[in-house]
Every structure is written in C-alpha cells, then in structure tokens.
Amino acid sequence: MSSSFKSLDLFGSGPHRFYQGRQGQLLMLDVALGGFTPMSFALGLVELEVFVRGRLIALTESGLWSQRDAITAQLLHPPTPGTLIDLHGRQWTDMSFVRFEELDRTDRNHRRTLGYIATFRRMIAPEAAPEG
Amino acid sequence: MLILNPDRVRFGDIAWHDVLSIAAEAAPERAVVEWSDLGPHAAFADVPEVRTTLKVSRSPQADDLASVKPGQRGVLEFFTSPGADARRVRIEADCIIERTSCQFITGKGAVQTITLIALSPDGAADPLTIEPV
C-alpha cells in the first residue's frame, strides 16, 4: 500500500522509510535552573516525531520540481494536523508536517532524484504561535 | 574498452609513440542505492557521478625526457589498428592528465603509464567520441 499524509501520496515516487524519534520525558536539570543539586525535573512527555527518509524520483527536472513543490506546499503556518500513514498501514494521527530537508544535491543519470528527510510532529498545541 | 597497439596517438600537440595499449574505464565516483520499508532488497539504484579514465601504456624512449604533468589538458586522439575485416575507428576525448608513472618489467623493459580523466563537454554527453574512419 502507499504511504500518505492527509491522504496525499507525497513520497511514493521513490523508496522511503519511516522511523520515530526519541520518546519519553523532557528532563530539566536543577543546575540549569541555578540550583546546586543533581536533581532533574520531569516536564512532561516530549512531542512524538516521525521521520520519513527517502528519495524522490522523476524522469524530468520539472517532474522532480513538481514533487518538491507538492511537498513544501504542505508546510503550513500554523501547522494543520493530519494523519500520517506508512507503507504497512501504521497510522499516526494529529501529526503536523514541520520540516522538509533536502539531502545533498539533485542527482542526474538515468533518473532525476533527490534524497530528503521529512519531519512530522504530534504537537501539543499546533495552532499556538508567539505574539508579535 | 581495451585497445591494443593503437595507431597515431596524440595528446594535444604531442605525438606519443610506441603505445602498447589504451584502456578506457568508467567507474562510479558516487552511487546511490536505496531501500524501502517493504523488504531487504534494494529498490532503487543509480550512478549520478561517473569517472571515465583512460590509461595509456607505452614504452618510453631513451631521450623521452619531456613528460606530461598532472593537470595538463588536451585532446587525446587515437585510432584502432586496422584489422583484416574490422573497420578502423577514431576515438577522441578531452582529457586532463591525472598521473604518470614508470616501471621496469623484466622481459618487457620500461613501461610508462599515463592516466587521464576524460571530460564531457556538458556533463551529459559521453566523454569519448567514437567514429568509424
């Protein structure tokens, strides 16, 4: 089956892989707060991150740009959460698409290809934005 | 591609005599291989960066003191030796000298090896031009 984000097949032109980021507590050391003890404070569970690492593949330059533009068009402010689904049907709900990083340069031989890492995060308050 | 005893070998304005062989090699400078989450086998591969190298082996003359140096650029041109039925072929490439070396081989004498990097005019065309004569 195809992977998708908000029902869009953004990454299907080439092979891609999913993996989750570090999970658990956000810990703050007492010394970082001006204290003098080895204590740490648990501030809550960090927001879940899911990474998609893969390669976009196209026959032409314009075809590759179309794919990149379709992906970056999903980078919104403020982020609007959606469902991310991997190649095996595993679903992550309420995920915000927060980063798209192109790896190295466009490669050109029998195909036009580009490596990338896309980052999704389950934000506690995606609609929140700082004033000013 | 291996050409034995090529005829009329020139590098720019320099004529190279007693050329024993010219070997053309294409090697991946960088290959891309990708896997998906669906299984253990590679799902995509390509070679976006290719290095085409020409190795010229020749018997240097005793008075052959003026030698080419790394970084020198010129057009390498040579012809395949005419065979009874095979057509002669002219091969040409815009090249940069990468390295030169000499060694003495018992039974063969001195052998000079000149390694050249062949350049494409635009990055897309094959660096070697091959045409029948």
Side-chain angles (χ1 to χ4, degrees):
Chain A
M1 66 178 294
S2 302
S3 65
S4 67
F5 176 63
K6 295 181 179 176
S7 301
L8 298 171
D9 180 5
L10 298 174
F11 310 116
S13 67
H16 52 287
R17 314 196 65 171
F18 288 69
Y19 58 102
Q20 296 186 135
R22 187 170 53 183
Q23 300 172 66
Q25 287 284 345
L26 176 61
L27 298 175
M28 179 67 76
L29 295 177
D30 185 42
V31 292
L33 298 171
F36 292 93
T37 76
M39 282 173 56
S40 57
F41 302 95
L43 301 184
L45 297 176
V46 297
E47 294 174 329
L48 175 68
E49 280 190 317
V50 178
F51 301 94
V52 183
R53 182 178 183 130
R55 182 164 289 270
L56 300 176
I57 299 172
L59 284 172
T60 62
E61 290 289 322
S62 60
L64 190 62
W65 275 109
S66 294
Q67 292 182 48
R68 290 154 94 173
D69 293 341
I71 291 170
T72 55
Q74 297 301 314
L75 292 166
L76 306 172
H77 183 71
T80 57
T83 299
L84 177 67
I85 303 175
D86 77 0
L87 294 161
H88 297 280
R90 167 75 181 190
Q91 296 188 18
W92 291 273
T93 56
D94 298 318
M95 300 301 291
S96 297
F97 185 20
V98 296
R99 189 178 302 121
F100 180 68
E101 183 181 355
E102 297 181 354
L103 302 177
D104 213 337
R105 55 274 195 203
T106 299
D107 290 319
R108 300 174 176 88
N109 196 339
H110 84 282
R111 290 291 184 270
R112 303 290 191 265
T113 72
L114 180 72
Y116 64 86
I117 297 178
T119 304
F120 297 81
R121 179 178 277 207
R122 181 176 288 151
M123 301 178 71
I124 294 170
E127 69 284 357
E131 295 288 329
Chain B
M1 176 170 65
L2 177 64
I3 308 296
L4 300 176
N5 302 313
D7 196 26
R8 284 193 279 155
V9 182
R10 299 189 66 85
F11 177 69
D13 297 331
I14 307 168
W16 283 339
H17 304 288
D18 299 316
V19 175
L20 304 170
S21 67
I22 298 179
E25 301 171 354
E29 191 73 11
R30 185 166 65 89
V32 166
V33 186
E34 301 280 358
W35 283 261
S36 77
D37 271 343
L38 296 177
H41 303 290
F44 175 80
D46 199 358
V47 183
E49 294 176 8
V50 177
R51 177 188 287 234
T52 302
T53 304
L54 295 161
K55 285 188 179 173
V56 177
S57 296
R58 58 185 292 261
S59 301
Q61 303 299 304
D63 57 350
D64 196 4
L65 299 176
S67 182
V68 291
K69 299 178 178 58
Q72 259 183 278
R73 182 169 181 170
V75 175
L76 179 69
E77 179 195 44
F78 57 97
F79 295 80
T80 57
S81 296
D85 298 315
R87 298 182 63 183
R88 249 164 98 81
V89 173
R90 175 178 168 274
I91 300 169
E92 177 185 285
D94 183 15
C95 295
I96 291 278
I97 303 278
E98 183 184 23
R99 70 179 67 192
T100 68
S101 62
C102 280
Q103 59 180 142
F104 184 83
I105 300 175
T106 305
K108 273 194 170 181
V111 176
Q112 180 189 40
T113 301
I114 304 167
T115 304
L116 306 95
I117 301 172
L119 304 174
S120 166
D122 59 2
D126 195 308
L128 301 182
T129 301
I130 302 172
E131 51 191 27
V133 177

